């Protein structure tokens, strides 16, 4: 409280003003505190973008809205934070769309193997009407989606052997994100797929509870998986985004101006995050090699074989997200590719 306000409060008390108006005045001057949770460490593309978002919000609101970023799943893994947002115990988070599938089944669309060929296609679909439609389905579940951030194309690491062909998955215990598309996809390839929250992953790799995992180069680097994983196979098997979420319960209490501050800052953070992530991905692979990871590219024939095999999960995804949404997405992608 600044001196002027303190004087006012003191004067109000001295002149015996009623407690009620005093309380509402105090509420007006207290900045809104926004707890913004995320899963990766602070020194990661996710952490940098969270900080950028916080700065934008503080600047645009003139300090009336404050964002406290909390990384490394210190507020809990994705699924726990989602529940905290729904209940109104936490205001914001960023996390994988993959962990939202249990809440909003349409999110499984983004887990479709090889859905996007490149980031241009991902941006166009995610930022377009289809991305918005999927995001809007969250509202009836108590969540407001603001923007998608890039997590990136995912690649495979493990401690057993280079994966050069499908048969190399045999006997590999692979941690997957917690949803059925991932489970089915990697079972289909022959791996022993184990769903597990990201926050438990490093420990599980270290103790060999699991042999491998899959994530973009950026995360393999920032989460130091190179310390516990020898082999990196470049598969680019799926582009699964992150999504910035707000508690709907809390969002509905905000003024239009406050909502606009958050949405504008989220859009700015999206542009910042994608640029930063793409720049980092370019150097992360070289860094992982320098840290001693043995990297292999899949021969084109094997990549095609895996792709064909994984297409068998598509029917299941179409059925769970709805055939109409599936067809609309395929048509939009075909138009982008013309
Ligand atoms: C971070 C996760 C992570 C994701 C995963 O909380 O779980 O593998 O790729 O980025 O959301």
């Amino acid at each position: 409280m600044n001196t002027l306000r303190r004087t006012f409060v003191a004067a109000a008390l001295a002149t015996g003003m009623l407690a009620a108006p005093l309380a509402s005045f105090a509420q007006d001057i207290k900045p809104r505190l926004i707890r913004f949770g995320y899963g990766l460490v602070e020194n990661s593309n996710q952490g940098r973008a969270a900080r950028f978002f916080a700065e934008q919000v503080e600047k645009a609101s003139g300090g009336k809205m404050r964002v406290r970023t909390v990384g490394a799943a210190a507020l809990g893994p994705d699924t726990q934070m989602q529940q905290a947002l729904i209940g109104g115990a936490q205001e914001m988070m960023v996390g994988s769309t993959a962990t939202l599938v249990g809440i909003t089944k349409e999110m499984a669309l983004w887990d479709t193997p090889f859905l996007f060929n490149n980031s241009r296609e991902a941006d166009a679909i995610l930022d377009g009407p289809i991305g918005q439609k999927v995001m809007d389905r969250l509202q009836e579940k108590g969540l407001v989606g603001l923007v998608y951030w890039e997590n990136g194309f995912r690649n495979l690491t493990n401690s057993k052997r280079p994966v050069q062909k499908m048969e190399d998955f045999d006997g590999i215990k692979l941690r997957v994100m917690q949803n059925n598309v991932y489970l089915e996809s990697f079972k289909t390839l022959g791996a022993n797929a184990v769903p597990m929250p990201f926050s438990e992953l490093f420990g599980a790799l270290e103790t060999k509870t699991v042999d491998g995992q899959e994530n973009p180069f950026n995360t393999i680097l920032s989460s130091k998986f190179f310390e516990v994983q020898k082999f990196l196979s470049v598969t680019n098997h799926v582009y699964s985004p992150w999504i910035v979420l707000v508690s709907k319960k809390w969002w509905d209490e905000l003024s239009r101006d406050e909502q606009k501050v958050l949405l504008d800052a989220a859009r700015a953070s999206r542009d910042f995050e994608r640029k930063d992530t793409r720049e980092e991905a370019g150097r992360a692979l070289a860094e992982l090699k320098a840290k001693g990871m043995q990297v292999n590219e899949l021969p084109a024939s094997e990549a095609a074989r895996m792709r064909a095999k994984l297409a068998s999960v598509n029917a299941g995804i179409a059925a769970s997200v709805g055939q109409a949404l599936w067809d609309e997405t395929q048509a939009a992608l075909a138009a982008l590719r013309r």
Side-chain angles (χ1 to χ4, degrees), residues 1 16 46 67 72 79 81 110 125 130 140 142 153 158 175 187 225 234 272 275 278 290 294-295 297 306 321 325:
M1 234 189 273
Q46 203 176 45
V67 182
T79 49
M81 289 196 286
W110 314 132
I125 299 294
I130 296 173
E140 68 206 42
F153 285 96
N158 83 95
R175 176 270 177 175
K187 274 189 189 161
F225 292 156
V234 181
F272 169 91
K275 188 165 177 286
R278 285 163 196 173
Q294 190 180 313
V295 180
E297 304 266 346
M306 279 187 204
V321 305
L325 178 64

Side-chain angles (χ1 to χ4, degrees), residues 1-11 25:
M1 234 189 273
N2 63 30
T3 322
L4 194 69
R5 280 172 183 158
R6 213 171 290 141
T7 312
F8 176 87
V9 172
F25 176 76

